[in-house]
Amino acid sequence: MLKTAGVTMLILLIINPFTISFSKSLFAYEKDTFVFSPIDIELKDDAFHGAKTSHYTEWWYFDAVFDNNYSAQMNVRIASMFNYGTVFKRLDIYKDGALISHNKKSYHVRNFFASKEKPAVYLDDFCVINGSIDDSTGNWIYDVYFQFDDASALLKFTGCTDGWRGQLHGKEWWGVALPRAKTSGTLTIDNESINVTGLGYHDHNWDITASACMNFGWYWGKIHSSNYTITWATILRTRLANDRLLVINKNQGDYLNIEPTEIQFTAENFSFENRYLIPHSFTLTAHKENISIDVKMDVIDIHHERLFCFMNYWRYHVKCKGSITVDSQTETIDSFQVAEFLRFR
């Protein structure tokens, strides 16, 4: 994708500033409606999948929000074309939603090794991600260690609920091994060590090719109540047409998929950030038989990045307030979480 000229972009944004609700009547595709259908995930699914085409990208993503108002995200991504590739390692640390430490490093693909049998990723012969299943509890456990010169994260993620995976538009795979995980360990910034505990998340995307860039972009996030976790996404095929996804996990339990026709997502309160008009609040509602969700997400802080020179990525920290009702039992939602907005053009 080529960067759109500033004047043209401004005109398009003024004409259509995303201030409408993503409702079925306006945005559903009549001839090609996408329905996400998650299935159970296995440990091997979170291993390295590698090349099935001449070009691909694949990544492992982790984030966590801690009890002391720190949060962190870390990921490893491989980008390859015709058997030549680069691997990127990244760690971002935040306090009260504001970025306080940003580190990334690139590696030649020959310095990268990842198992195709289990989630184990090595850079320069050092294990940065190691996942396993506890034989006694059945919990999925990940040890991650992202180290840089002036910052590091040594964290243990212990899964609290079942993971799942599913295909996006029949091609790309999205595996959420840890929709919700108890997370503890140590963050280090400028030689100061900070002990942390909180809730984390881990997903893995594979079989991603350039065709994904045909979409306009996506929104993504997750929301916690005491006993439930909501993982949601809205894939923007165009500025207006979208595919909505929402999966509910119960602590120490199973997951339930919500159909796109039962989900309404609204991006609101638009203002300029980094020369683009982007939303600063969101509303998510869903209603399905004995399930009801009503959540407002207000943006606390935003971290912007340019990816691969043409993509714009905004990482949000949002305050989530609302409720979830399952089988006539209602739980209050009042949590601080990470969300994102990626646009390809």
Side-chain angles (χ1 to χ4, degrees):
M1 295 292 177
L2 297 177
K3 184 178 178 181
T4 306
V7 174
T8 304
M9 180 65 73
L10 179 58
I11 293 173
L12 290 172
L13 288 169
I14 291 172
I15 292 173
N16 174 33
F18 284 110
T19 52
I20 344 177
S21 167
F22 293 160
S23 63
K24 176 185 176 185
S25 59
L26 290 177
F27 298 100
Y29 278 84
E30 294 181 1
K31 296 182 180 180
D32 187 22
T33 300
F34 169 76
V35 178
F36 186 61
S37 301
I39 58 177
D40 292 350
I41 195 170
E42 300 178 0
L43 195 65
K44 187 174 181 178
D45 295 320
D46 204 24
F48 180 48
H49 294 262
K52 294 181 181 178
T53 60
S54 61
H55 66 280
Y56 73 96
T57 183
E58 179 172 352
W59 65 87
W60 293 262
Y61 169 94
F62 294 81
D63 73 34
V65 175
F66 302 110
D67 300 337
N68 57 0
N69 296 325
Y70 283 89
S71 55
Q73 83 80 31
M74 56 227 80
N75 67 71
V76 172
R77 177 192 296 265
I78 179 170
S80 179
M81 181 173 292
F82 302 113
N83 296 320
Y84 292 92
T86 303
V87 182
F88 304 91
K89 179 180 73 173
R90 175 188 184 119
L91 169 64
D92 293 320
I93 300 175
Y94 304 84
K95 179 68 180 295
D96 298 318
L99 181 69
I100 59 173
S101 177
H102 167 68
N103 284 275
K104 60 184 177 182
K105 184 177 180 180
S106 61
Y107 299 79
H108 192 281
V109 70
R110 66 171 173 262
N111 296 321
F112 162 83
F113 170 79
S115 169
K116 292 192 174 184
E117 299 300 320
K118 62 179 183 178
V121 178
Y122 292 78
L123 295 171
D124 285 342
D125 296 324
F126 184 84
C127 186
V128 294
I129 299 171
N130 185 39
S132 61
I133 299 177
D134 187 304
D135 291 335
S136 60
T137 64
N139 291 334
W140 288 44
I141 298 175
Y142 284 74
D143 292 298
V144 302
Y145 188 24
F146 283 67
Q147 184 174 18
F148 295 87
D149 290 340
D150 58 353
S152 66
L154 175 59
L155 300 171
K156 181 181 289 292
F157 291 72
T158 302
C160 302
T161 183
D162 292 347
W164 40 266
R165 62 187 171 100
Q167 284 189 292
L168 306 173
H169 303 119
K171 298 179 181 179
E172 308 93 353
W173 278 95
W174 179 30
V176 181
L178 300 177
R180 180 175 180 145
K182 294 180 180 178
T183 306
S184 61
T186 304
L187 301 177
T188 302
I189 306 172
D190 295 329
N191 296 319
E192 178 187 357
S193 294
I194 305 162
N195 294 326
V196 291
T197 59
L199 290 178
Y201 167 93
H202 163 53
D203 69 17
H204 179 191
N205 293 75
W206 65 93
D207 289 349
I208 311 297
T209 66
S211 62
C213 297
M214 298 302 293
N215 293 312
F216 183 82
W218 68 65
Y219 295 104
W220 161 89
K222 68 270 189 221
I223 301 164
H224 296 316
S225 69
S226 296
N227 291 293
Y228 294 97
T229 294
I230 302 163
T231 305
W232 60 269
T234 295
I235 300 172
L236 303 170
R237 294 202 192 185
T238 68
R239 290 175 178 276
L240 296 179
N242 72 92
D243 299 316
R244 298 170 301 283
L245 296 70
L246 194 154
V247 180
I248 302 172
N249 279 81
K250 185 176 182 179
N251 284 2
Q252 306 303 326
D254 206 350
Y255 56 88
L256 175 67
N257 187 49
I258 305 297
E259 300 289 312
T261 55
E262 297 163 328
I263 306 164
Q264 189 173 60
F265 174 82
T266 308
E268 304 165 316
N269 189 20
F270 279 73
S271 62
F272 282 96
E273 293 276 350
N274 317 104
R275 299 184 300 156
Y276 289 88
L277 198 60
I278 69 167
H280 287 67
S281 63
F282 309 95
T283 299
L284 178 68
T285 61
H287 301 282
K288 174 185 174 73
E289 298 173 357
N290 59 337
I291 295 173
S292 180
I293 296 168
D294 189 353
V295 182
K296 180 70 178 293
M297 292 169 272
D298 291 318
V299 174
I300 304 302
D301 213 319
I302 301 174
H303 174 202
H304 173 260
E305 286 279 333
R306 289 279 288 179
L307 304 177
F308 300 110
C309 300
F310 71 95
M311 293 184 286
N312 281 279
Y313 175 88
W314 293 270
R315 178 171 295 114
Y316 292 99
H317 279 77
V318 295
K319 182 67 173 178
C320 308
K321 296 184 73 69
S323 64
I324 177 171
T325 301
V326 180
D327 294 330
S328 301
Q329 298 295 315
T330 299
E331 292 189 359
T332 298
I333 292 171
D334 186 359
S335 66
F336 186 60
Q337 270 303 326
V338 176
E340 69 184 27
F341 174 31
L342 172 70
R343 54 177 291 173
F344 293 108
R345 56 184 186 275

